Amino acid sequence: KTLTWASSGLMKEFEYDKSDIGIMSTMLSLSYGVSKFLGGTITDYVSPALVLFVGLICSGLCCIIFSMNSSFYTLCFIWTINGFFQGGGWPPIARLLTVRFPPSTRGFYWSVISCAGNLAFGLAPVVLGFLFSQHQWRAGFVANGLFPVLSAILIPFTFPIFALKAVEKASTNTSPSSSSSSSSSTSAAAEKKKGTNVPLPPISMSTLRSEVLRSDSVWLLSIASVFLFFPRAAVQEWGALFLSEGRGISDVEAASVIGTFELVGLLGTLAIGPISDRWGGRRMLVNFLFAIITVVASLVVWWGWDSTNSLVFHIAFGLFGFASSGPKTLISVAIAEFVHPNITGFAFGIYELIAQIGTALAGYPLGLLMEYMGWNGILLSLVTSPVILCLLFAPLVNRKPYLAMDVKQD
């Protein structure tokens, strides 16, 4: 989101308009979605840690190279490539979380890891806002490029990059017939009910891919994510500009409002996973309840839309951030549990590819809408999207996860 905070500087230096910034944002979103699909599929076959390592290094270098250029078409190209490499970030992490933690505690650990994203989004407006106010916009891109490169250096010391996939296969793709226990199928069913990791019979990857493509759960959640990502991206992409230009709030204060959106969202992210664990893994029930809260939050935003008091927007955007950040985390957990453990990467790829349509819509298309509707274009996305989200979540509230259905078949 560095581009979001640099948009004001880019528009002043190069005389770009909102649609120009929207084009760059949309190009990144589209390449990011395609990359997440490819990255998710690749992590079913190669080491997730290796995919993460390469993605971080290359994304960081793209940010640094971006800061050294001035041509609009060159900036668009570099930002598109950056989105492609950024897509190698979350799918490997999601794969590792699915493999390493059982369903009974998976929501908690997923929330903890997801908090890192909220924390980064919350600190970015403050750190980058300071850099942009004290230096040129280029300084922010250099700083943002150095962080992932330095982080990538730590990965080989944390995970065995090339050996990790073998460990995963040994833990997730072993046939129960290899167990020394003569009652392996009975004990496996019992352990599945407890929510622990157990060996599963080997199934061909082509069969598993067909199962994912026929899964209405995966498609419903993927489509629902469009109406979750769209309003969130609208706030992230245009919120600061709306507050500074549309309501006359200072750039620093506008950045702090968006920081509140992300930091309060951190609480929603941290809360939703443990709540779903405590409720017996009812991920979609908790998702549905948070979606209802998101509807309420959107009405609060609507109520305070014409205010020029930054405190009103701190409260309104903070509540919306809390309510919408939770499902953003728990949809991923639900996707992981609606499919076979060995094909989670492919399922995540489909979900992330479709979800990025929502993010892309918040770029150039929303920029065009605002050319005709003004800033009310953002308001429209914030009010209508949560209602559609609730309608798409509703059919899945009582849907059982993959392993639970497998136990029933046994």
Side-chain angles (χ1 to χ4, degrees):
K1 297 300 180 181
T2 310
L3 180 65
T4 301
W5 309 114
S7 59
S8 180
L10 287 167
M11 291 170 71
K12 290 178 181 178
E13 181 173 341
F14 302 119
E15 298 184 350
Y16 294 158
D17 56 27
K18 295 183 181 68
S19 61
D20 292 325
I21 300 298
I23 288 173
M24 284 191 277
S25 176
T26 298
M27 294 300 292
L28 180 136
S29 297
L30 292 175
S31 65
Y32 184 62
V34 172
S35 176
K36 277 197 169 184
F37 174 73
L38 296 176
T41 304
I42 290 171
T43 55
D44 287 329
Y45 298 92
V46 301
S47 166
L50 178 60
V51 177
L52 180 61
F53 177 80
V54 173
L56 284 171
I57 290 287
C58 294
S59 177
L61 292 177
C62 283
C63 285
I64 295 173
I65 295 172
F66 187 95
S67 70
M68 301 175 181
N69 287 272
S70 300
S71 167
F72 175 74
Y73 295 106
T74 302
L75 294 177
C76 284
F77 175 76
I78 296 171
W79 209 234
T80 302
I81 298 299
N82 181 32
F84 181 81
F85 286 116
Q86 280 191 19
W90 180 247
I93 295 173
R95 177 75 170 125
L96 291 170
L97 287 170
T98 304
V99 170
R100 294 298 182 92
F101 301 106
S104 57
T105 58
R106 188 175 293 152
F108 168 75
Y109 288 107
W110 212 293
S111 286
V112 170
I113 296 297
S114 297
C115 280
N118 287 91
L119 187 60
F121 276 129
L123 293 177
V126 178
V127 176
L128 295 178
F130 173 78
L131 287 174
F132 293 147
S133 64
Q134 300 298 318
H135 307 280
Q136 291 185 343
W137 59 268
R138 300 178 191 272
F141 282 91
V142 172
N144 202 43
L146 291 176
F147 288 133
V149 171
L150 295 175
S151 299
I153 295 174
L154 300 177
I155 294 179
F157 300 98
T158 307
F159 297 105
I161 289 184
F162 295 102
L164 183 59
K165 192 62 186 179
V167 175
E168 289 185 27
K169 286 183 177 179
S171 64
T172 63
N173 198 33
T174 304
S175 171
S177 62
S178 64
S179 173
S180 61
S181 171
S182 61
S183 59
S184 60
S185 61
T186 304
S187 61
E191 290 193 34
K192 286 177 187 176
K193 290 178 181 178
K194 293 179 183 178
T196 57
N197 287 330
V198 294
L200 294 173
I203 306 176
S204 69
M205 294 300 285
S206 60
T207 300
L208 292 178
R209 282 195 295 271
S210 296
E211 284 187 5
V212 171
L213 291 174
R214 293 194 305 267
S215 172
D216 60 335
S217 300
V218 172
W219 289 109
L220 270 175
L221 285 176
S222 299
I223 295 171
S225 67
V226 173
F227 298 96
L228 179 64
F229 280 55
F230 176 45
R232 286 183 54 82
V235 173
Q236 293 165 341
E237 296 286 351
W238 303 103
L241 199 60
F242 156 71
L243 292 171
S244 59
E245 287 191 2
R247 295 296 177 264
I249 297 173
S250 69
D251 290 342
V252 175
E253 188 63 29
S256 70
V257 170
I258 306 304
T260 299
F261 169 81
E262 295 293 352
L263 291 176
V264 178
L266 183 73
L267 300 179
T269 300
L270 192 59
I272 198 168
I275 290 174
S276 69
D277 287 340
R278 186 173 292 273
W279 287 15
R282 299 286 302 277
R283 317 295 186 195
M284 289 311 303
L285 174 60
V286 179
N287 266 333
F288 182 70
L289 295 176
F290 266 70
I292 293 175
I293 299 174
T294 306
V295 173
V296 175
S298 68
L299 296 178
V300 174
V301 174
W302 187 12
W303 166 76
W305 192 248
D306 293 325
S307 175
T308 56
N309 187 345
S310 63
L311 179 60
V312 172
F313 288 104
H314 274 286
I315 296 172
F317 282 0
L319 181 59
F320 191 85
F322 172 86
S324 61
S325 292
K328 183 174 180 289
T329 298
L330 208 58
I331 285 179
S332 298
V333 186
I335 288 281
E337 295 179 351
F338 280 144
V339 300
H340 189 284
N342 285 358
I343 201 68
T344 52
F346 181 65
F348 279 128
I350 293 175
Y351 155 66
E352 294 288 358
L353 177 61
I354 296 176
Q356 287 310 308
I357 295 175
T359 305
L361 288 174
Y364 182 64
L366 184 55
L368 287 179
L369 180 63
M370 288 190 293
E371 294 291 334
Y372 295 97
M373 293 186 61
W375 292 112
N376 287 332
I378 297 180
L379 179 61
L380 180 65
S381 70
L382 296 182
V383 173
T384 58
S385 295
V387 176
I388 301 174
L389 183 67
C390 285
L391 296 176
L392 292 171
F393 277 169
L396 299 175
V397 167
N398 293 316
R399 187 70 55 90
K400 292 182 179 180
Y402 184 92
L403 292 184
M405 290 187 288
D406 189 63
V407 169
K408 185 176 181 180
Q409 293 172 0
D410 291 342

